[in-house]
Amino acid sequence: MSINSKPHPDSRPFIDYFYKWEHEKADQVYLRQPLGDTYIDYTWQEVGRQARSMAAYLRSLNLPRQSPIGLVSKNCPHWLIADIAILISGHISVPFYPTLTADQLHSVLEHSQCTVLFVGKVDNWSSMQTGVPTNVLCIAFPENQPDAKLRPWDDILTTYTPMIDSPKPKLDDLFTIVYTSGTTGTPKGVMLDYRAAAQVAEWARAKTFQDLVGARFFSYLPLCHVAERNIVEAIGLITGGTIYFVESLATFSKNLAAARPTHFLAVPRIWTKFQQGILANMPQARLDRLLRIPIVSSLVKRKIRQRLGLNDTVMILTGAAPTPIPLIRWFRRLGICIQENYGMTENLGAVSMMPADQIKDGTVGRVNDGMNVRIDPDTGEILTQAAWNMRGYYRDPELTAKTLTADNWLHTGDLGELDSEGYLRITGRLNDLYKSAKGEFISPAKLEFGFSENQLVDQICVLGPQLPQPIALLVLSEIGQKTHPGEVATSLTDTLTAFNNQLQAYERIKKVILVKDTWSVDNNLMTPTLKIKRKEIEKRYLSTINAWYDQDDVVVWEA
C-alpha cells in the first residue's frame, strides 16, 4: 500500500531567516549558555558580528566554493555561530560527533575532504587531535584551552572585519553533509541540499510550529544529528526563537527547568530517565492514588511538569528510536502529550508525525504532506519518496544506487505497516531480523517491547541468532537496583511468562540475563543519540551467552 501526499512548494534557504532576525531583533537574545547560576547571552546582532567575521576569514582562505568545512563540538553557542559562518561564506557544513575516537575522526575527515575544522567542547581533545590530518587547519572555539596547534576564535574576530554582504545560496547547493552515527557500521556522509532543508523547515513551521512569540528551544541532543539540526537550529532560525543550551550532564535537569522550552525533543531513553526520576520521588502506587483525586490530580500534574521544565511546552516530540506505548501513555496521564516523529538522516527525519489531536497509539503518526510512503510487498521494508530525500552518499555512488532508486524511492531499512488513514507502524529493522534454528524470522525490537511496562528495566537487548530460543539482556533501572533480588526475579519472570504467552513458540524468550554495566556512549554500546548498538552488545557478551543459556534459572545474574 502507498500513501501519496501533496508536495510543498519551493521555499527559501533558511539562512535568509537569520538575516531577517539579525536586522529586526538585533538587540534580542538568540543564544543562552548557562554558566552556573548565570548565563552568557548572545544577541542576534552579536551572533551576526561573530559569524560574519569568521565568514570573512574563511573567504580569505580562498577555498573553492562549496568546500566541506568540519565542525566537532558538543552543543554550545559557538557551534551555531560557526555553522552560520560556514553557510554565509558559501561553504558546506560537515559536523561530526564530539565522541569520536582519533581513528574515527581521521576517517571522516579524510572521507569528507575537509581542510578546515572548527574544534569546540570535547572531553579529550589531546587524544582526539592525533586523528586530524596534517593538512587540516583547526580553529578553536573560545571555550577551548590554549593550544598552539589551534587558531583561536577570538584572534580571528579581532583581525577580520565582518562581511557586510549577505550572500544567498542557491536552493540546489549542498547545505550540509551529515555523517550517520554508525550504528551498523562505518558512518556514511548524507548529502542534503538547501531545497530539502527549506521544505522540511517550512512544512514544520506551517503545520506544527507556527509563529510563536517567545519560542524557546533547549539544545542538548547532538547538533550534528538531523533531528536536533531540524528542531533546534532550523526552526529556531525560522521562528526567531531563543535557544538555551545544557551546561553539562550533571546540570541537565536544572538547565531544562530554567529554559522552560516551548518546543522540546527527547529520545526514548530520556523519557525513561524522566519517568524513573519521578517515580524515585513518588512511587507508582502513591502517584496512582493522587491522580484519582480530581483537584489533587491537577496540582500533581502541574507540579511534575514544572519540575521537568515542560509547563510551557506547546509541542513535545520523541524520535530517533521507537518509544514504548506504555511509556507514552504513562506521561499522557500527567498531561504530557508526547508526539511520535519518524524519519532518518537520509530523508531529513521527516516521514511522519503524530497529530496531537488524532493520536493512534502503536504508530509513529501520519505521513507528512509532501512525503510518499509505500511498503515493499516482498520484504515489508518502508520506502519513502520526497523532495527532501538526500542527494546521495558523499563519494559513494555504489551505496547511493543501492539505497536510492532512479525514481527517488529511498530504502529506509525499517520494516513497517501503513493503514488506510496514512498512519505508519514500525515493526523492526530489516538488518536486525535473524533466522532462528527452526528457520523462522525473529524481530528483536518486537520482543524488546514486551518489557516496556516493567519499571525495574532500564535497558534491553534481545539476542539469539546462534541459540535455539532468544534471550533478553537487561540493565536494571535505579528502582530495580534498589529492589530485593528475589522481588526482581519474580517480577521479571511474571513479565516474561505473560509476554511469551502472546508469542509464537519460536519467538518465546528463553531467559533473562541481568548484566552489571549500564550501556552508554562511553563504553561504545550506545550511539550519541542513545540508541543501543546491537552488534557491539552481542560482541561484548558473546563468550558468555551460551553458558547463560544453559543455566537452569529463568533469571540469570551476570557474575
Side-chain angles (χ1 to χ4, degrees), residues 54 71 77-87 118 141 153:
M54 189 57 64
L71 199 171
H78 286 95
W79 199 109
L80 290 181
I81 298 173
D83 202 41
I84 292 169
I86 294 169
L87 304 186
F118 286 97
F141 286 0
W153 177 283

Side-chain angles (χ1 to χ4, degrees), residues 162-176:
M163 284 174 46
I164 298 176
D165 60 319
S166 299
K168 295 185 179 182
K170 300 174 183 177
L171 284 170
D172 289 329
D173 285 344
L174 275 187
F175 150 56
T176 187

Side-chain angles (χ1 to χ4, degrees), residues 8 18 25 33 48 57 101 113 121 156 163 183 217 219 256 269 292 297 328 366 399 408 465 519:
H8 192 281
F18 173 73
K25 292 187 171 186
Q33 174 64 52
Y57 171 65
T101 64
Q113 301 177 306
K121 295 170 61 177
I156 293 173
M163 284 174 46
T183 310
F217 303 84
S219 182
L256 175 57
R269 180 142 177 79
R292 285 194 291 266
S297 174
I328 290 177
R366 182 180 287 153
L399 183 59
N408 200 36
W519 306 325

